Amino acid sequence: MSVKNPDSDAPCGGHTKHERRKDARPGELLDAALALFVEKGYAATRVEEVAKLAGVSKGTLFLYFASKEELFKAVVRENISGRFHEWNTEFDNFKGNSADLMRYCMMAWWQRIGSTQASGITKLMMSEAQNFPELAAFYEHEVIQPGKVLITRVLQRGVDRGEFRAIDMKYGVYIVLAPMVFLAMWKHSLGTCCEAGAQLVPEDYIALQVETILNGLNVRPPPPH
């Protein structure tokens, strides 16, 4: 006769519910943390709430993440900064012209980050960075700087191939970043409550922004004497 573990729905000797879910727990905790951080902000989110939403105890959460700060860092790495290797590889393998690369990058950002809950991290950092300078420094190092490097690579590729005119790259990266930051901020603020007629269609917004950027970057023929 099988004897049941009181903390499990499965008999002893088999894989218990606790054991089956062990590998899934870090991912469940990160998903729960992302949802709460985006909804409530960093300061207002409590680890007890994250654990409850993930269906585990607070003690279990601390087995994987030593503090709320470490949990937040793991959320950022899982959803954004941990993907820069993938994105740089895509850049290295891209075969088209630089205008098409720019279109691809900005639309891919929307599909993979902007349209997801992860884009709410942008709004969180913009609003709470001053109160949490260590997190701001972490975000600057893990997200902003690698993002600026990748955008610079896209722009410099166009310049080197004679497809874009030379610009000051220090500030040129913000030409590309600004529309994405605005869209992320809008999605998690006014976009949640404005009337239907005032809603943005993100794909249309990005398409127009890209063409405007490319129009400014295009190499122009010299004026006639």
Side-chain angles (χ1 to χ4, degrees), residues 164-181:
F164 297 162
R165 61 187 179 90
I167 61 172
D168 182 344
M169 293 296 176
K170 178 180 178 180
Y171 297 107
V173 295
Y174 294 104
I175 298 171
V176 181
L177 274 174
M180 295 189 289
V181 171

Side-chain angles (χ1 to χ4, degrees), residues 196-215:
Q199 289 285 351
L200 298 179
V201 178
E203 292 81 2
D204 294 344
Y205 167 86
I206 291 173
L208 179 59
Q209 295 294 330
V210 173
E211 295 311 314
T212 303
I213 292 169
L214 292 175
N215 186 55

Side-chain angles (χ1 to χ4, degrees), residues 1-21:
M1 181 177 69
S2 63
V3 180
K4 277 203 168 189
N5 183 325
D7 296 326
S8 169
D9 293 330
C12 289
H15 291 290
T16 67
K17 182 178 180 181
H18 175 85
E19 292 171 335
R20 286 198 307 271
R21 296 187 65 243

Side-chain angles (χ1 to χ4, degrees), residues 24-175:
R25 279 180 176 169
E28 293 169 353
L29 286 164
L30 291 176
D31 289 344
L34 174 61
L36 288 170
F37 283 140
V38 169
E39 177 188 352
K40 304 182 68 173
Y42 179 80
T45 296
R46 296 183 298 117
V47 291
E48 293 90 340
E49 296 174 299
V50 175
K52 182 178 180 180
L53 185 59
V56 301
S57 68
K58 179 180 174 181
T60 299
L61 183 150
F62 284 124
L63 290 176
Y64 298 101
F65 308 103
S67 64
K68 184 169 77 168
E69 181 176 332
E70 291 305 312
L71 176 62
F72 178 78
K73 290 179 178 180
V75 167
V76 172
R77 288 173 175 141
E78 175 70 16
N79 290 277
I80 305 177
S81 62
R83 306 181 69 177
F84 277 109
H85 176 74
E86 165 197 341
W87 297 332
N88 277 285
T89 298
E90 287 188 62
F91 171 89
D92 293 334
N93 295 328
F94 193 86
K95 303 301 182 184
N97 61 49
S98 299
D100 285 342
L101 175 59
M102 181 73 74
R103 294 183 184 99
Y104 173 77
C105 287
M106 291 188 71
M107 196 59 71
W109 167 83
W110 170 252
Q111 293 168 347
R112 302 176 192 180
I113 302 295
S115 64
T116 73
Q117 279 191 314
S119 60
I121 296 174
T122 300
K123 177 176 178 288
L124 183 155
M125 291 308 306
M126 294 287 281
S127 61
E128 300 197 54
Q130 186 175 4
N131 297 324
F132 299 97
E134 291 185 1
L135 288 185
F138 162 80
Y139 192 77
E140 171 75 19
H141 180 264
E142 295 251 349
V143 177
I144 296 177
Q145 289 301 327
K148 289 165 67 175
V149 168
L150 181 55
I151 292 172
T152 299
R153 294 186 73 194
V154 174
L155 294 171
Q156 192 63 53
R157 179 185 191 268
V159 173
D160 293 343
R161 290 163 60 108
E163 297 166 333
F164 297 162
R165 61 187 179 90
I167 61 172
D168 182 344
M169 293 296 176
K170 178 180 178 180
Y171 297 107
V173 295
Y174 294 104
I175 298 171

